Amino acid sequence: MEEGFEFRPWDELLPDALGLIFRNLSLQEVLTVVPRVCKSWGKAVKGPYCWQEIDIEEWSKNRCPENLDRMLRLLIPRSCGSLRKLCVSGLSDKSSFEFIANNAKSLQTLRLPKCELSDSVVEQVAGTFSNITFLDVSYCIKIGARALEAIGKHCKCLTGLRRTMHPLEVIDKLSQDDEALAIATSMPKLKQLEIAYMLVGTLSISEVLQNCRQLELLDVRGCWNVNLDENFVKKFNKLKVVGPLVVDYYDKNGWDNCSDYSGSSGYIPWDFVAGDIDDDFDDDEMSDDYWEDEEHVEDVEMWFYDDLNAVDAGYDWPQSP
């Protein structure tokens, strides 16, 4: 090794550089391991550079509302208003949604799959999400045309909407054409629209195409009542229509090629007992007990498929009827 060559200590890295590095770690490691390395790393973890993108979608599945709310109240303030992307599943507490709206006004990407919020709650809060460009409200069975219209009215920058449904969750509905019409009348700047398995027909989708002239991707897989004329579709030069035919099963990796959907979190098999932690808790005092998985076998929902190699066959998409 050459004389005079100096290694720069890791604890002297700039906070923004540390933030980029720590994004490659799991949430558990960032909250419990990194702060114990040195004071500068602990300070960086509590600063905004690590929390401009917060993805707890996998972790939040099947979490109780209280723990989910406390996790959001722990992480979002650390962004100091610079949060650009938030992914969380199963949000059901109105106060949690209002907290996000009041403390993350710079959000550009918001993913709320399987949330249980109502039309009225969305109508009350939608005005604070004016900077949103991509929204995912898939499998949110309690919202409808009113919520979508409010989103379109207030989110003028919206260019991507994912409103994928599960066939079993819409089986009791007669139609969701009113939702498609709400999209058509209030979201003219859409470039990407994913409404797989929604109960919509040809007329309402035609209205979407007529009003959303910038559309580049329209996913109507599983929308069996949609039958678009080929000559009509050719009028939209940049448009790519996927569906309504569903080929085999849903392949999550293939979906990433045409969707803004991100599955970067991966499965996190641990739990966060947020009920026992104050918002200003000391990272150094956190024990491994906080991250143990406390779920029991009888609470696990099991899926069985003939094709054991099907990628995520039991989560997002059933096999084609």
Side-chain angles (χ1 to χ4, degrees):
M1 183 178 297
E2 297 181 5
E3 294 184 2
F5 185 82
E6 296 182 0
F7 286 99
R8 184 174 181 179
W10 280 73
D11 60 352
E12 294 182 6
L13 285 176
L14 296 175
D16 54 344
L18 289 173
L20 292 174
I21 295 172
F22 295 158
R23 287 182 190 177
N24 297 308
L25 303 177
S26 69
L27 181 61
Q28 180 184 7
E29 292 172 324
V30 172
L31 290 178
T32 63
V33 178
V34 172
R36 299 174 181 176
V37 175
C38 61
K39 291 183 178 180
S40 64
W41 283 26
K43 184 178 180 180
V45 166
K46 291 183 178 180
Y49 297 105
C50 289
W51 309 108
Q52 293 179 356
E53 296 185 3
I54 298 176
D55 188 344
I56 57 172
E57 184 174 335
E58 292 293 333
W59 175 88
S60 58
K61 293 176 182 176
N62 302 318
R63 299 291 182 239
C64 69
E66 292 79 11
N67 285 355
L68 181 53
D69 180 71
R70 290 186 66 83
M71 180 63 91
L72 291 171
R73 294 177 185 273
L74 168 69
L75 299 182
I76 292 178
R78 294 190 175 194
S79 69
C80 298
S82 63
L83 182 61
R84 298 192 302 264
K85 178 179 179 180
L86 175 64
C87 308
V88 55
S89 177
L91 191 68
S92 60
D93 195 327
K94 175 183 176 182
S95 63
S96 299
F97 192 45
E98 293 175 340
F99 180 81
I100 294 172
N102 294 328
N103 293 273
K105 297 183 178 181
S106 297
L107 269 179
Q108 297 175 2
T109 298
L110 178 60
R111 305 185 187 280
L112 300 172
K114 296 187 177 182
C115 79
E116 299 181 12
L117 303 172
S118 63
D119 282 337
S120 59
V121 172
V122 175
E123 288 175 326
Q124 294 172 19
V125 181
T128 59
F129 292 116
S130 58
N131 294 318
I132 291 290
T133 59
F134 187 90
L135 177 66
D136 184 350
V137 285
S138 298
Y139 318 111
C140 301
I141 60 176
K142 293 186 178 180
I143 66 173
R146 285 172 48 197
L148 293 176
E149 186 175 359
I151 292 169
K153 177 182 177 181
H154 295 286
C155 304
K156 299 297 185 181
C157 299
L158 193 66
T159 59
L161 176 67
R162 189 171 192 246
R163 176 71 173 140
T164 299
M165 303 301 294
H166 192 290
L168 297 180
E169 293 178 341
V170 297
I171 196 170
D172 60 337
K173 295 180 180 292
L174 295 176
S175 171
Q176 291 177 290
D177 282 321
D178 58 339
E179 294 190 26
L181 293 175
I183 293 172
T185 57
S186 65
M187 304 179 186
K189 295 183 180 181
L190 282 183
K191 295 183 178 180
Q192 176 180 332
L193 177 60
E194 306 166 20
I195 52 175
Y197 284 101
M198 280 185 62
L199 298 179
V200 293
T202 303
L203 292 178
S204 60
I205 294 302
S206 296
E207 284 295 315
V208 171
L209 294 180
Q210 292 283 14
N211 289 276
C212 304
R213 308 292 294 190
Q214 300 180 43
L215 265 182
E216 298 177 3
L217 171 65
L218 174 62
D219 184 356
V220 289
R221 285 181 289 181
C223 301
W224 308 114
N225 294 326
V226 175
N227 185 18
L228 296 173
D229 181 74
E230 185 177 349
N231 293 326
F232 175 71
V233 174
K234 287 181 178 179
K235 295 179 180 179
F236 308 93
N237 297 328
K238 297 181 179 180
L239 178 64
K240 177 182 179 181
V241 178
V242 182
L245 178 64
V246 179
V247 180
D248 196 5
Y249 55 82
Y250 166 62
D251 187 332
K252 184 173 181 180
N253 294 325
W255 179 254
D256 287 338
N257 293 329
C258 63
S259 170
D260 192 37
Y261 179 82
S262 172
S264 59
S265 296
Y267 176 70
I268 306 176
W270 38 264
D271 198 0
F272 179 76
V273 189
D276 297 332
I277 300 179
D278 294 328
D279 293 338
D280 55 349
F281 75 98
D282 186 351
D283 298 302
D284 295 331
E285 297 178 357
M286 293 189 68
S287 66
D288 293 335
D289 294 337
Y290 285 122
W291 307 99
E292 292 180 356
D293 190 351
E294 297 180 352
E295 293 186 359
H296 302 286
V297 174
E298 56 267 25
D299 296 326
V300 177
E301 182 178 3
M302 295 187 177
W303 298 74
F304 297 91
Y305 291 87
D306 292 331
D307 184 3
L308 298 179
N309 295 319
V311 179
D312 285 344
Y315 175 59
D316 263 356
W317 295 79
Q319 293 185 6
S320 175

